Amino acid sequence: MLLYLFITCLSFLFFKTLPLKPLPPWACEMRLLSPWFWKELSFFTISKLTKKSFSIFFLSPFPSKMSLKRKPLSLSAKVENVEEEDTPEMSVLDLPELVLECILERLPPDALFRMTGVCTSLRERCRSDHLWEKHMKQKWGSVIGPAAYREWQWHIASKTDLVDVKQGKQKGLMRILSLGWPFSWIRSRVDDHSQQRCSLPADSIMSWYLALETGRFWFPAQVYNRENGHVGFMLSCYDAEISYDPRTDTFQARYPPHGRRAVAIENGVPWERLRAPPIETPPHDLHMSDCLNELQPGDHIEIQWRRNKEFPYGWWYGVVGHLESCDGNENYCLCHNSDTVVLEFNQYTHGSRWRCTNISRRDHREEGNEADGFYGGIRKLRTKEEISTWKRLWPTEVLE
């Protein structure tokens, strides 16, 4: 008992003799911080330490009898300890360069995106354009064309200008806040926030892929059988601006206004009814046909057509037919030598005014009238994929 009293008095005298130092200068600065700043201190760390201490002192098993003698280690135990100390833990970054690259190339887009949050080294690797270019072609290659790429470049430029304006406003806000807050702390918070938002390059393929996948980016494309396969647009393809809906794996389409008609919007457009524009002709311009001299019966074509000159053109599917003077015999057919080309639209019934039209090879321009509409440029279909797409969309009933 006397020993405990002696130790207590000795410790009291020792701490009594310690000199009191004034508070450091940064303590005055810390008093300016508002209570919500201290809430940002992670309670998770404190709770984790508490749990760890609790597990060490209360949950770990204690021996019933403690021996002061040190037990000698066996030779096998010593060898195992040496091997454990000499063998470091292997990381994925320790893999050979080629092996790691092959692994990343086989990851799907969602897994590749999650890998960017593992560490700095993997973030730079997983954002490489050559990894995301493959995913871009596989999923978006059928609907993305040069027009969509130009729209994306314009989107990047406008976004960069907006960021510059916001940064100017941030600097003004920092001047105001620095009057009552530690300037160094505010500057570090703003820099960290800007770095997180701007860490992904805006012109990277990964950034473009994410903008498409989330539906934030509208881009030009063409839609088959617009307005849910309306009978008035059967076997046609019209220009529109589309946006992806990841919840339904479909698209929303916005069609340009037709005359006095407002912008038409269609939801739930499936992938099968979309394509990238095959040519660069705007929807209101006449396409300059370059295939008229080679057209012959049996060729598959698309021709521009619009109701009146205020409307944009749509592309309509048809085939080249025989002249009335030809019996269709291939051995005696001379239709390919004639200046007149017969275009047939077999989705319409015989006798319909939309069933057939004639054009001139030499002097073809926009032809038609307000009653039957206006026919524009022609493009010849040269691939089996394009022809099979039109046949797949063939109506189940003959149109009037």
Side-chain angles (χ1 to χ4, degrees), residues 16-62:
K16 184 75 174 179
T17 58
L18 289 178
L20 296 177
K21 295 183 179 181
L23 292 175
W26 52 264
C28 298
E29 250 187 347
M30 297 299 287
R31 287 183 300 175
L32 297 175
L33 299 179
S34 64
W36 66 264
F37 166 76
W38 299 104
K39 292 182 180 179
E40 293 188 0
L41 293 176
S42 175
F43 180 76
F44 174 75
T45 306
I46 300 175
S47 62
K48 186 176 181 181
L49 291 175
T50 306
K51 290 180 180 178
K52 187 175 181 180
S53 303
F54 182 82
S55 62
I56 291 174
F57 291 103
F58 295 98
L59 299 182
S60 59
F62 288 95

Coordinates of all heavy atoms in Angstrom, one line a residue, residues 16-62:
K16 N 4.1 18.2 -12.2 CA 4.0 19.5 -11.6 C 5.1 20.4 -12.1 O 5.0 21.6 -12.3 CB 3.9 19.4 -10.1 CG 3.7 20.8 -9.4 CD 2.3 21.2 -9.5 CE 2.0 22.4 -8.6 NZ 0.6 22.9 -8.8
T17 N 6.3 19.8 -12.3 CA 7.5 20.6 -12.7 C 7.6 20.9 -14.1 O 8.5 21.6 -14.6 CB 8.7 19.8 -12.2 OG1 8.7 18.5 -12.8 CG2 8.8 19.7 -10.7
L18 N 6.7 20.3 -15.0 CA 6.8 20.5 -16.4 C 6.3 21.9 -16.7 O 5.3 22.4 -16.2 CB 5.8 19.5 -17.2 CG 6.3 18.1 -17.2 CD1 5.2 17.2 -17.9 CD2 7.6 18.0 -17.9
P19 N 7.1 22.7 -17.6 CA 6.7 24.0 -17.9 C 5.5 24.1 -18.8 O 5.3 23.2 -19.7 CB 7.9 24.6 -18.6 CG 8.6 23.4 -19.2 CD 8.3 22.3 -18.2
L20 N 4.7 25.1 -18.7 CA 3.5 25.2 -19.6 C 3.9 26.1 -20.8 O 4.3 27.2 -20.6 CB 2.3 25.9 -18.8 CG 1.8 25.1 -17.7 CD1 0.7 25.9 -16.9 CD2 1.2 23.8 -18.2
K21 N 3.7 25.5 -22.0 CA 4.1 26.2 -23.2 C 2.8 26.9 -23.8 O 1.7 26.4 -23.7 CB 4.6 25.3 -24.3 CG 5.9 24.7 -23.8 CD 6.5 23.8 -25.0 CE 7.8 23.1 -24.5 NZ 8.3 22.3 -25.6
P22 N 3.0 28.1 -24.4 CA 1.8 28.8 -25.0 C 1.3 28.0 -26.2 O 2.0 27.2 -26.8 CB 2.4 30.1 -25.4 CG 3.8 29.9 -25.6 CD 4.2 28.9 -24.6
L23 N 0.0 28.3 -26.5 CA -0.6 27.6 -27.7 C 0.1 28.0 -29.0 O 0.6 29.1 -29.1 CB -2.1 27.9 -27.7 CG -2.9 27.4 -26.6 CD1 -4.4 28.0 -26.8 CD2 -3.0 25.9 -26.6
P24 N 0.2 27.0 -29.9 CA 0.8 27.4 -31.2 C -0.1 28.4 -32.0 O -1.3 28.5 -31.7 CB 0.9 26.0 -31.9 CG -0.2 25.2 -31.3 CD -0.2 25.7 -29.8
P25 N 0.5 29.1 -32.9 CA -0.2 30.1 -33.7 C -1.4 29.6 -34.5 O -2.3 30.3 -34.7 CB 0.8 30.8 -34.6 CG 1.9 29.8 -34.7 CD 1.9 29.0 -33.4
W26 N -1.3 28.3 -34.9 CA -2.4 27.8 -35.7 C -3.7 27.5 -34.9 O -4.7 27.3 -35.5 CB -2.0 26.5 -36.5 CG -1.4 25.4 -35.6 CD1 -0.1 25.2 -35.3 CD2 -2.2 24.5 -34.8 NE1 0.0 24.1 -34.5 CE2 -1.2 23.7 -34.1 CE3 -3.5 24.2 -34.6 CZ2 -1.6 22.6 -33.3 CZ3 -3.9 23.2 -33.8 CH2 -3.0 22.4 -33.1
A27 N -3.5 27.5 -33.6 CA -4.7 27.3 -32.7 C -5.7 28.4 -32.9 O -6.9 28.2 -32.8 CB -4.3 27.1 -31.3
C28 N -5.2 29.7 -33.1 CA -6.2 30.8 -33.3 C -6.9 30.6 -34.6 O -8.1 31.0 -34.7 CB -5.4 32.1 -33.3 SG -4.5 32.4 -31.7
E29 N -6.2 30.1 -35.6 CA -6.9 29.9 -36.8 C -8.0 28.8 -36.7 O -9.1 29.0 -37.3 CB -5.9 29.5 -37.9 CG -5.7 30.5 -38.9 CD -4.8 29.9 -40.1 OE1 -4.2 28.9 -39.9 OE2 -4.7 30.6 -41.1
M30 N -7.8 27.8 -35.9 CA -8.7 26.7 -35.8 C -10.0 27.2 -35.2 O -11.0 26.6 -35.4 CB -8.1 25.6 -35.0 CG -6.9 25.0 -35.7 SD -7.3 24.3 -37.3 CE -8.2 22.8 -36.8
R31 N -9.9 28.2 -34.3 CA -11.2 28.7 -33.7 C -12.2 29.3 -34.7 O -13.3 29.4 -34.4 CB -10.8 29.7 -32.6 CG -10.2 29.1 -31.4 CD -9.9 30.1 -30.3 NE -9.0 31.2 -30.8 CZ -8.7 32.3 -30.1 NH1 -9.2 32.5 -28.9 NH2 -7.9 33.2 -30.6
L32 N -11.7 29.7 -35.9 CA -12.6 30.3 -36.9 C -13.4 29.2 -37.6 O -14.3 29.5 -38.3 CB -11.7 31.0 -37.9 CG -11.0 32.3 -37.3 CD1 -10.1 32.8 -38.4 CD2 -11.9 33.3 -36.8
L33 N -13.0 28.0 -37.5 CA -13.7 26.9 -38.2 C -15.1 26.7 -37.6 O -15.2 26.6 -36.3 CB -12.9 25.6 -38.2 CG -11.5 25.7 -38.9 CD1 -10.8 24.3 -38.8 CD2 -11.7 26.1 -40.3
S34 N -16.1 26.6 -38.4 CA -17.4 26.3 -37.9 C -17.6 24.9 -37.5 O -16.9 24.0 -37.9 CB -18.4 26.7 -39.0 OG -18.3 25.8 -40.1
P35 N -18.7 24.6 -36.7 CA -18.9 23.3 -36.3 C -19.1 22.2 -37.4 O -18.7 21.1 -37.2 CB -20.2 23.4 -35.4 CG -20.2 24.8 -35.0 CD -19.6 25.6 -36.2
W36 N -19.6 22.7 -38.5 CA -19.9 21.6 -39.6 C -18.6 21.1 -40.2 O -18.5 20.0 -40.7 CB -20.7 22.2 -40.7 CG -20.2 23.3 -41.5 CD1 -20.3 24.6 -41.3 CD2 -19.3 23.2 -42.6 NE1 -19.6 25.3 -42.3 CE2 -19.0 24.5 -43.1 CE3 -18.7 22.1 -43.3 CZ2 -18.2 24.7 -44.1 CZ3 -17.9 22.3 -44.4 CH2 -17.6 23.7 -44.8
F37 N -17.5 21.9 -40.0 CA -16.2 21.4 -40.5 C -15.7 20.2 -39.7 O -15.2 19.2 -40.2 CB -15.1 22.5 -40.4 CG -13.7 22.0 -40.6 CD1 -13.3 21.6 -41.9 CD2 -12.9 21.9 -39.5 CE1 -12.0 21.2 -42.0 CE2 -11.6 21.4 -39.7 CZ -11.1 21.0 -40.9
W38 N -16.0 20.3 -38.4 CA -15.5 19.2 -37.5 C -16.3 17.9 -37.8 O -15.9 16.8 -37.5 CB -15.6 19.6 -36.1 CG -14.7 20.7 -35.8 CD1 -15.1 22.0 -35.6 CD2 -13.3 20.7 -35.7 NE1 -14.0 22.8 -35.3 CE2 -12.9 22.0 -35.4 CE3 -12.3 19.7 -35.8 CZ2 -11.6 22.4 -35.3 CZ3 -11.0 20.1 -35.6 CH2 -10.6 21.4 -35.4
K39 N -17.5 18.1 -38.4 CA -18.3 16.9 -38.7 C -17.7 16.0 -39.8 O -18.0 14.9 -40.0 CB -19.7 17.3 -39.1 CG -20.5 17.8 -37.9 CD -21.9 18.2 -38.4 CE -22.8 18.8 -37.3 NZ -24.1 19.1 -37.7
E40 N -16.8 16.7 -40.6 CA -16.2 16.0 -41.7 C -15.1 15.0 -41.2 O -14.6 14.2 -42.0 CB -15.5 17.0 -42.7 CG -16.6 17.8 -43.4 CD -15.9 18.7 -44.5 OE1 -14.7 18.6 -44.6 OE2 -16.7 19.4 -45.2
L41 N -14.7 15.2 -39.9 CA -13.8 14.2 -39.4 C -14.4 12.8 -39.3 O -15.5 12.7 -38.9 CB -13.3 14.6 -38.0 CG -12.5 15.9 -37.9 CD1 -12.2 16.2 -36.5 CD2 -11.2 15.7 -38.7
S42 N -13.7 11.9 -39.9 CA -14.4 10.5 -40.1 C -14.6 9.8 -38.7 O -13.6 9.6 -38.0 CB -13.5 9.7 -41.0 OG -14.0 8.4 -41.0
F43 N -15.9 9.6 -38.4 CA -16.2 8.8 -37.2 C -15.9 7.4 -37.4 O -15.7 6.6 -36.5 CB -17.7 9.0 -36.9 CG -18.1 8.2 -35.7 CD1 -17.8 8.7 -34.4 CD2 -18.8 7.0 -35.8 CE1 -18.2 8.0 -33.3 CE2 -19.2 6.3 -34.7 CZ -18.9 6.8 -33.5
F44 N -15.7 7.0 -38.7 CA -15.4 5.6 -39.0 C -14.1 5.2 -38.5 O -13.9 4.1 -37.9 CB -15.4 5.4 -40.5 CG -15.0 4.0 -41.0 CD1 -15.8 2.9 -40.8 CD2 -13.7 3.8 -41.5 CE1 -15.4 1.7 -41.2 CE2 -13.3 2.6 -41.9 CZ -14.1 1.5 -41.7
T45 N -13.1 6.1 -38.5 CA -11.8 5.8 -38.0 C -11.8 5.6 -36.5 O -11.2 4.7 -36.0 CB -10.8 7.0 -38.4 OG1 -10.9 7.2 -39.8 CG2 -9.4 6.6 -38.0
I46 N -12.5 6.5 -35.8 CA -12.6 6.4 -34.4 C -13.3 5.1 -33.9 O -12.8 4.3 -33.1 CB -13.3 7.6 -33.8 CG1 -12.6 8.9 -34.1 CG2 -13.5 7.4 -32.3 CD1 -13.3 10.1 -33.7
S47 N -14.4 4.7 -34.6 CA -15.1 3.5 -34.3 C -14.3 2.3 -34.6 O -14.3 1.3 -33.9 CB -16.4 3.5 -35.0 OG -16.2 3.4 -36.4
K48 N -13.5 2.4 -35.7 CA -12.7 1.3 -36.1 C -11.6 1.0 -35.0 O -11.3 -0.1 -34.6 CB -12.0 1.5 -37.4 CG -11.3 0.3 -38.0 CD -10.8 0.6 -39.4 CE -10.0 -0.6 -39.9 NZ -9.5 -0.3 -41.3
L49 N -10.9 2.1 -34.5 CA -9.9 2.0 -33.5 C -10.5 1.4 -32.2 O -9.9 0.6 -31.5 CB -9.3 3.3 -33.3 CG -8.4 3.8 -34.4 CD1 -7.9 5.2 -34.1 CD2 -7.2 2.9 -34.6
T50 N -11.8 1.9 -31.9 CA -12.4 1.4 -30.7 C -12.7 -0.1 -30.7 O -12.5 -0.8 -29.8 CB -13.7 2.2 -30.5 OG1 -13.4 3.6 -30.5 CG2 -14.3 1.8 -29.1
K51 N -13.2 -0.5 -31.9 CA -13.5 -1.9 -32.1 C -12.2 -2.8 -32.0 O -12.2 -3.8 -31.4 CB -14.2 -2.2 -33.4 CG -15.6 -1.6 -33.4 CD -16.3 -1.9 -34.8 CE -17.7 -1.3 -34.8 NZ -18.3 -1.5 -36.1
K52 N -11.2 -2.2 -32.6 CA -9.9 -3.0 -32.6 C -9.4 -3.1 -31.2 O -8.9 -4.2 -30.8 CB -8.9 -2.2 -33.5 CG -7.6 -3.0 -33.7 CD -6.7 -2.3 -34.7 CE -5.4 -3.2 -34.9 NZ -4.6 -2.5 -35.9
S53 N -9.4 -2.0 -30.4 CA -8.9 -2.0 -29.1 C -9.8 -3.0 -28.2 O -9.3 -3.8 -27.4 CB -9.0 -0.7 -28.4 OG -8.2 0.2 -29.2
F54 N -11.1 -2.9 -28.5 CA -12.0 -3.8 -27.7 C -11.7 -5.3 -28.0 O -11.7 -6.1 -27.1 CB -13.5 -3.5 -28.1 CG -14.5 -4.3 -27.4 CD1 -14.9 -4.0 -26.1 CD2 -15.0 -5.4 -28.0 CE1 -15.8 -4.7 -25.4 CE2 -15.9 -6.2 -27.3 CZ -16.3 -5.9 -26.0
S55 N -11.4 -5.6 -29.3 CA -11.2 -7.0 -29.7 C -9.9 -7.4 -29.1 O -9.7 -8.6 -28.7 CB -11.2 -7.1 -31.2 OG -10.1 -6.3 -31.7
I56 N -8.9 -6.5 -29.0 CA -7.6 -6.9 -28.5 C -7.6 -7.2 -27.0 O -7.2 -8.2 -26.5 CB -6.5 -5.8 -28.8 CG1 -6.3 -5.8 -30.3 CG2 -5.2 -6.1 -28.0 CD1 -5.4 -4.7 -30.7
F57 N -8.3 -6.3 -26.2 CA -8.3 -6.4 -24.8 C -9.4 -7.2 -24.2 O -9.3 -7.7 -23.0 CB -8.3 -5.0 -24.1 CG -7.1 -4.2 -24.4 CD1 -7.1 -3.2 -25.4 CD2 -5.9 -4.4 -23.7 CE1 -6.0 -2.4 -25.7 CE2 -4.8 -3.7 -24.0 CZ -4.8 -2.7 -24.9
F58 N -10.5 -7.4 -24.9 CA -11.6 -8.1 -24.3 C -11.9 -9.4 -25.0 O -12.4 -10.4 -24.4 CB -12.8 -7.2 -24.2 CG -12.6 -6.1 -23.3 CD1 -12.3 -4.8 -23.9 CD2 -12.8 -6.2 -22.0 CE1 -12.1 -3.7 -23.0 CE2 -12.7 -5.1 -21.1 CZ -12.3 -3.9 -21.7
L59 N -11.7 -9.5 -26.3 CA -12.1 -10.7 -27.1 C -11.0 -11.6 -27.3 O -11.2 -12.8 -27.6 CB -12.7 -10.2 -28.4 CG -14.0 -9.4 -28.3 CD1 -14.5 -9.1 -29.7 CD2 -15.0 -10.0 -27.5
S60 N -9.8 -11.2 -27.2 CA -8.6 -12.1 -27.5 C -8.5 -13.0 -26.3 O -8.6 -12.6 -25.1 CB -7.4 -11.3 -27.7 OG -7.1 -10.5 -26.6
P61 N -8.2 -14.3 -26.5 CA -8.0 -15.2 -25.4 C -6.8 -15.0 -24.6 O -5.7 -14.7 -25.1 CB -8.0 -16.6 -26.1 CG -7.5 -16.3 -27.4 CD -8.0 -14.9 -27.8
F62 N -6.9 -15.0 -23.2 CA -5.8 -14.8 -22.3 C -5.4 -16.2 -21.8 O -6.3 -17.0 -21.4 CB -6.1 -13.9 -21.2 CG -6.2 -12.5 -21.6 CD1 -7.4 -11.9 -21.9 CD2 -5.1 -11.7 -21.7 CE1 -7.5 -10.6 -22.3 CE2 -5.1 -10.3 -22.1 CZ -6.4 -9.8 -22.4

